[in-house]
Each structure stands twice: as structure tokens, then as C-alpha cells.
Amino acid sequence: GEDVEQSLFLSVREGDSSVINCTYTDSSSTYLYWYKQEPGAGLQLLTYIFSNMDMKQDQRLTVLLNKKDKHLSLRIADTQTGDSAIYFCAERKYNFNKFYFGSGTKLNVKP
Amino acid sequence: NAGVTQTPKFQVLKTGQSMTLQCAQDMNHEYMSWYRQDPGMGLRLIHYSVGAGITDQGEVPNGYNVSRSTTEDFPLRLLSAAPSQTSVYFCASTAGQGNYGYTFGSGTRLTVV
């Protein structure tokens, strides 16, 4: 199926690291994405990882992919109050242009 | 570039009314999709298109129609609005195969009373 699952909430203190987790079920996924949604706005692409990679780092963001367990995570280093938002993971199937999104994780960063 | 433009941003409809949500992109993207976002349910795909003249159904197509007469435009029509269609609607586009993610519009918040 196309189930993509995330926990609904995460709360961290400013300056700590945040880790947002996602599991997916379809091993044919080619690309996995992380999107950020701020209140009242659309989704903004943060980063992506190809399914044959284990890790990708982009400034404060680190994406880890465990293909065996179908587990994806997004680590935000030195989390700031501006990082407070809803984070969605999404998978894209090979030769297909449907994206399947998780339900989103609401990150709350306390000062 | 404007990216993906959705209009209107807000709309209130009465049950049974029809309306069209507009979506336009200026990036020459082949693929366009409509999603609805409901609390705790993430984004659910309504309809999508892989090019002008080609559309297909997603997970929740009932009560909605689409057409793709040009590459740029992908309107979503609500045929007879129902309270269950109260939601935030997002249009998105992507260039095609490969690592391209979706570019999203800013959304239309629809309330059906």
C-alpha cells in the first residue's frame, strides 16, 4: 500500500536537536522527501533523498534512510523557534508521479 | 517566476453550490495534482495530470472534476458542494521524472455550510 506514517507531535527546546521520524511501506519508492508547512502556507520542499542513499546532509538538516526497515528521519540541528511548523514526509514511486504524504508532524520549539 | 498560483484563497459555499478552484503554473511543468488537507489526515490526492489532455483519479476523486486543456492550468471543479468538502485545497506541480519534488500553491481554504 501507500501508507506513510508519522507521529503527530514533537516538542523540543531551542538549541536542541529535533528528530522527526517517518515509516513507509512501499519498497519501490525511488525518492523520499521532507516538506515544511508554516501556518497558513503551502508546503515547501526542504530536502530529498534517493532510495539508494543512506544519508544526506544539507546545512542543519540530516536525512537518514534505513531502506531495510523502511524508515526515514529528519534531524534538525540547533533547532530555532523559526523551525516551528508541520513537517511532512512523502514518497514517490518509480516511474510514477504520485506522491504519498504522511499526516505530518507538528514541531513545537520552546524558547 | 510566480510558481504555482491558486485562486481564490478563501471561499464559503452553500451546500449544493458549484464552483471552480483555479490553479496555474508558469514553470512549464508536465505534472500537476490537486490535494486536500484535513486535520490529522495529511494530504490526500484528489486528481492528477501527467500532461495537457491527460487526467486521472487519485484517492478521493468523488465530487470533483478536473480538466487540463493547457500545460499551465489545472482547474478543480466542485460539482455540488457538501459540508464534507470543507478543507484546504492545494495544487502542486512538478517537472517530471527524477528527483523533482512538488512545488505547491499557497492553498484555498474552502468552507461549505
Side-chain angles (χ1 to χ4, degrees):
Chain A
E2 299 93 4
D3 290 338
V4 180
E5 295 189 357
Q6 302 177 239
S7 55
L8 291 181
F9 299 102
L10 177 66
S11 184
V12 300
R13 293 217 170 269
E14 192 173 21
D16 289 349
S17 292
S18 308
V19 179
I20 303 170
N21 295 303
C22 172
T23 58
Y24 60 100
T25 55
D26 193 331
S27 58
S28 69
S29 297
T30 52
Y31 289 97
L32 296 128
Y33 302 84
W34 284 104
Y35 284 85
K36 176 183 181 182
Q37 184 183 33
E38 296 180 347
L43 278 71
Q44 172 193 0
L45 178 64
L46 283 179
T47 187
Y48 68 91
I49 188 167
F50 188 45
S51 57
N52 69 353
M53 297 170 65
D54 299 323
M55 185 181 87
K56 181 178 181 182
Q57 188 151 2
D58 185 359
Q59 299 182 332
R60 291 192 297 124
L61 304 179
T62 303
V63 179
L64 294 177
L65 176 61
N66 181 328
K67 202 171 179 185
K68 174 176 168 289
D69 295 337
K70 300 187 182 67
H71 182 266
L72 180 73
S73 67
L74 174 70
R75 179 177 180 269
I76 306 173
D78 187 25
T79 313
Q80 302 298 307
T81 54
D83 294 323
S84 293
I86 301 176
Y87 291 81
F88 291 90
C89 66
E91 59 173 346
R92 180 176 189 176
K93 307 301 177 62
Y94 174 73
N95 204 30
F96 224 52
N97 285 290
K98 290 182 184 177
F99 288 68
Y100 293 95
F101 288 84
S103 54
T105 299
K106 187 169 185 178
L107 175 65
N108 179 40
V109 183
K110 302 177 198 174
Chain B
N1 284 343
V4 178
T5 303
Q6 289 184 240
T7 56
K9 291 194 183 303
F10 302 93
Q11 183 71 49
V12 179
L13 287 179
K14 293 182 179 177
T15 297
Q17 285 185 315
S18 62
M19 80 159 293
T20 299
L21 307 186
Q22 301 292 344
C23 175
Q25 53 91 9
D26 61 358
M27 298 171 285
N28 202 32
H29 284 173
E30 292 181 77
Y31 305 110
M32 298 184 75
S33 295
W34 276 101
Y35 288 87
R36 60 177 288 174
Q37 183 180 25
D38 301 294
M41 300 186 73
L43 282 86
R44 291 184 290 169
L45 181 64
I46 305 172
H47 285 285
Y48 66 102
S49 169
V50 298
I54 306 169
T55 64
D56 207 347
Q57 296 181 350
E59 304 167 75
V60 289
N62 292 341
Y64 307 95
N65 273 355
V66 292
S67 59
R68 185 96 180 269
S69 55
T70 66
T71 300
E72 294 78 19
D73 299 301
F74 191 43
L76 177 73
R77 295 183 189 84
L78 278 72
L79 308 171
S80 177
S84 61
Q85 294 179 304
T86 294
S87 188
V88 181
Y89 292 84
F90 288 102
C91 179
S93 70
T94 184
Q97 302 293 340
N99 65 333
Y100 305 106
Y102 265 135
T103 299
F104 280 82
S106 56
T108 295
R109 186 174 293 273
L110 176 68
T111 302
V112 183
V113 297

